Amino acid sequence: MKREEKSAVIQNLLMGNKALLIVIALGVILSIASPAFLTSSNLLNVVRQVCVSTLLSIGFTIVLSSGNMDLSIGTLMGLCGMILAKLVKEAGVPLPAAILIVFGVAVFGGLLNAAILSLFSVPAFIVTLATQSIFKGVNYLISDLVPVSGLPSELLFLGQGYLFGIPMPIYIMLLVVLAVWVMMNRTKFGRYILAVGGNAEAARASGINTKRINFGVYICCGLCAGVASIIMTGRVGSAQVGAGVGMEMDAIAAVVIGGTSMSGGKANVWGTLFGCLLVGIVNNGMNLLGINPNWQVIAKGFLILFAVIIDVVSARAQAKRLNRIAQMQNS
């Protein structure tokens, strides 16, 4: 293997698995700093705590890989959770039917984003920033700023229950991660998403209906928010008015650190999972070391900056490498 090829393999290996490598390094440091970190109960708790953020981040991965953005995913999750709690607690709707209705609301939220984006060609950042406020406002209206508690045990089981010693949210999270990985890597729809994210004009010229892909992308993202709302509501044991607010920032950090490019055309689903674990480990480590919780907010800001810088640097390095290869071939 030539030197250039070896360098490319090493670079791709490091950049494609940077979240996993950082998780391992941080885990080693925290296991030395705090003996409680490596206990099975603590590690299981870390994974359980990141289930909701992972589901949101997986939806964000799909959107980002298509070259779009979704800042409304957190407030959509909060709205879905409030509707779910209202249905099962106050309207007496059976849980399966209530879950189906919540999925319908989640799909509608995704369709709303996609429709505005496709019909009016407004930048996704602006569209989803607006719908973020809309979903939050609707949540405030239907809840009257009052949390809903006293939820049925079946719903609590989905968020708090265990199966063979493993929390139920972990099973649900892994199932969604696996399903999305298959969709992105083994289906025509997934290939079309990456094609649109890589170059929308070229994808359109090759016969791909980019607007249809955008609708599909935001529907998938909405469904991820719907699933996350079920776990969140069941885990907390109530529907909180402020649930999901600000969680899109965690998603951005986790997704980009995980290896999904902010410019689109690439999706690292398993990398997103490890990116979420990284955010969870940072929070858990600070708690174990007795660091002021306010520093967690600052740490997340630095994680986002780090993720964006890594993404830009890796993109430039990749471009330089391809340019060198082209020059060598032409010479």
Side-chain angles (χ1 to χ4, degrees):
M1 185 180 293
K2 297 180 180 180
R3 183 178 179 181
E4 188 71 28
E5 293 176 344
K6 289 182 179 179
S7 177
V9 170
I10 294 174
Q11 179 180 321
N12 291 334
L13 180 65
L14 292 176
M15 298 312 300
N17 299 279
K18 57 181 177 288
L20 174 59
L21 296 176
I22 298 173
V23 164
I24 294 174
L26 189 58
V28 171
I29 294 172
L30 288 176
S31 62
I32 296 174
S34 175
F37 176 76
L38 273 184
T39 60
S40 58
S41 59
N42 183 65
L43 293 178
L44 200 62
N45 184 52
V46 170
V47 179
R48 179 174 57 184
Q49 287 181 345
V50 302
C51 286
V52 172
S53 62
T54 299
L55 288 168
L56 292 181
S57 298
I58 290 298
F60 197 87
T61 299
I62 301 172
V63 171
L64 198 61
S65 65
S66 72
N68 289 299
M69 176 71 67
D70 191 352
L71 299 178
S72 68
I73 189 170
T75 55
L76 177 59
M77 182 198 74
L79 174 60
C80 289
M82 182 59 68
I83 291 174
L84 176 64
K86 287 278 187 179
L87 288 173
V88 297
K89 172 65 177 178
E90 299 179 4
V93 178
L95 182 59
I99 289 176
L100 289 177
I101 294 173
V102 164
F103 284 158
V105 173
V107 168
F108 176 79
L111 286 173
L112 179 62
N113 284 328
I116 299 173
L117 178 65
S118 299
L119 294 177
F120 301 103
S121 299
V122 181
F125 178 87
I126 301 299
V127 172
T128 58
L129 185 63
T131 54
Q132 176 192 71
S133 182
I134 292 172
F135 297 149
K136 186 193 302 183
V138 174
N139 191 352
Y140 290 171
L141 284 174
I142 66 174
S143 66
D144 200 23
L145 301 180
V146 178
V148 179
S149 56
L151 303 178
S153 58
E154 296 85 358
L155 178 55
L156 298 181
F157 176 75
L158 293 176
Q160 303 175 9
Y162 285 77
L163 183 63
F164 305 116
I166 305 295
M168 280 300 298
I170 295 180
Y171 288 107
I172 299 172
M173 175 193 71
L174 291 177
L175 182 62
V176 172
V177 171
L178 180 60
V180 172
W181 180 85
V182 171
M183 181 188 78
M184 295 302 298
N185 294 275
R186 296 291 187 269
T187 68
K188 182 188 296 185
F189 178 57
R191 291 193 296 271
Y192 283 0
I193 291 174
L194 299 180
V196 172
N199 190 323
E201 291 301 322
R204 188 179 296 109
S206 65
I208 298 176
N209 189 327
T210 57
K211 290 186 178 181
R212 184 178 297 175
I213 295 300
N214 285 336
F215 273 94
V217 161
Y218 278 102
I219 287 174
C220 290
C221 187
L223 286 173
C224 286
V227 176
S229 72
I230 297 170
I231 295 179
M232 170 67 86
T233 307
R235 182 167 68 87
V236 178
S238 63
Q240 299 295 321
V241 177
V245 175
M247 290 192 71
E248 67 279 351
M249 303 308 294
D250 289 356
I252 293 173
V255 171
V256 180
I257 289 176
T260 298
S261 174
M262 292 196 70
S263 58
K266 181 181 179 182
N268 192 332
V269 177
W270 292 106
T272 294
L273 172 59
F274 287 112
C276 290
L277 286 174
L278 175 60
V279 175
I281 288 173
V282 169
N283 293 337
N284 179 257
M286 287 185 170
N287 291 333
L288 291 177
L289 297 176
I291 298 175
N292 189 324
N294 293 325
W295 281 101
Q296 294 181 15
V297 181
I298 298 175
K300 289 178 184 178
F302 277 113
L303 276 176
I304 294 173
L305 283 175
F306 175 74
V308 173
I309 291 171
I310 288 294
D311 181 55
V312 172
V313 170
S314 62
R316 289 177 180 174
Q318 178 76 357
K320 289 181 179 179
R321 185 178 64 83
L322 293 175
N323 187 43
R324 285 198 304 269
I325 294 175
Q327 290 177 349
M328 291 173 61
Q329 290 175 346
N330 293 331
S331 61

